[in-house]
Amino acid sequence: MPRKKKPAPFTTEEATDFFARLAEVRPEPATELDYVNPFTLVVAVALSAQATDVGVNKATKNLFAVADTPEKMLALGEDGIREHIKTIGLFRNKAKNVFALSRMILEDFGGEVPQTREELETLPGVGRKTANVVMNEAFGEPTIAVDTHIFRVSNRTGLAPGKNPLEVELKLEKITPSQYLKGAHHWLILHGRYTCKARKPDCGNCAVADLCRFDEKTPA
């Protein structure tokens, strides 16, 4: 049986066209997590691991109403945090991390959320993906946080194929035109969430279907 031919990589022109179309569909992309300041964004993103944004928002609505700063979160205590987020998966460990990162932000960073990836990754429960989201959304940095949606879209379309999230992230940074880097993270997530879905991509209503390298496109 002949080996399947590897699809041609995206050219710079194709990548520009790809993001231009996604931008046309969603001119002002943004996270779907609710937050009120950089601190609550860190908490929300940390809570979103293995959970849906909708589920996180339901839990944080009441949590952030009483604890929207590190000081208030510490005053709430680990038990109080746990009670607010018990509807979210892995809530016990997440409550422990939220309490610990709140203390660390107060003690090590003067109550302000750090703005570098290296410092953010020192916070309990914060990895590279969470750090990239915070840098992008809260501080306007052109970072790309590779979650399951972005990983799938990048590999399925052929835009930035990779064996792991870091490989995909580095390829996306290289192929994405500079004018689209700031919004690339959100465009790719939203495209993966609503169009290029895991089980059955909606290829018939996809703005980039003709650029996509995916062979098994679903009919219109």
Side-chain angles (χ1 to χ4, degrees):
M1 187 174 179
R3 291 185 66 182
K4 192 174 180 181
K5 188 177 180 182
K6 194 174 182 180
F10 269 61
T11 64
T12 303
E13 292 74 18
E14 286 176 321
T16 301
D17 194 11
F18 186 97
F19 282 105
R21 296 187 200 181
L22 295 186
E24 189 173 347
V25 174
R26 295 184 175 89
E28 296 181 9
T31 181
E32 293 186 320
L33 286 171
D34 295 335
Y35 69 98
V36 294
N37 54 34
F39 170 70
T40 53
L41 177 63
V42 172
V43 173
V45 180
L47 293 177
S48 71
Q50 299 181 49
T52 66
D53 287 2
V54 172
V56 171
N57 290 340
K58 285 181 180 178
T60 57
K61 182 178 180 180
N62 292 327
L63 175 63
F64 293 159
V66 296
D68 59 357
T69 66
E71 295 91 341
K72 292 176 183 177
M73 197 67 75
L74 284 178
L76 193 59
E78 192 177 320
D79 289 343
I81 297 169
R82 188 165 55 243
E83 188 63 26
H84 276 90
I85 68 169
K86 62 185 179 182
T87 56
I88 301 175
L90 308 174
F91 70 94
R92 290 183 179 85
N93 191 54
K94 288 178 179 179
K96 186 181 296 183
N97 284 336
V98 169
F99 185 78
L101 72 82
S102 299
R103 173 179 285 166
M104 193 168 181
I105 288 173
L106 267 178
E107 295 179 352
D108 295 358
F109 299 105
E112 298 293 327
V113 173
Q115 298 188 26
T116 69
R117 183 186 291 120
E118 292 73 23
E119 290 176 320
L120 282 164
E121 287 191 70
T122 66
L123 300 175
V126 175
R128 186 181 181 92
K129 185 185 77 173
T130 297
N132 280 346
V133 172
V134 174
M135 290 169 66
N136 181 283
E137 182 72 17
F139 305 124
E141 295 293 330
T143 51
I144 300 176
V146 179
D147 69 348
T148 55
H149 295 299
I150 293 183
F151 188 78
R152 179 178 65 256
V153 170
S154 298
N155 277 286
R156 181 185 277 167
T157 63
L159 177 67
K163 296 176 182 177
N164 55 63
L166 181 58
E167 190 176 335
V168 169
E169 178 187 331
L170 296 177
K171 284 190 176 182
L172 281 172
E173 288 179 347
K174 189 174 182 180
I175 192 69
T176 304
S178 58
Q179 67 268 37
Y180 295 116
L181 267 174
K182 172 66 170 62
H185 163 78
H186 296 302
W187 282 314
L188 292 171
I189 281 182
L190 295 171
H191 186 64
R193 184 171 291 162
Y194 298 112
T195 304
C196 195
K197 293 173 279 192
R199 292 186 180 179
K200 189 178 180 182
D202 189 7
C203 301
N205 291 305
C206 176
V208 294
D210 59 312
L211 295 170
C212 175
R213 306 316 200 228
F214 185 52
D215 288 333
E216 302 166 27
K217 290 185 173 66
T218 56

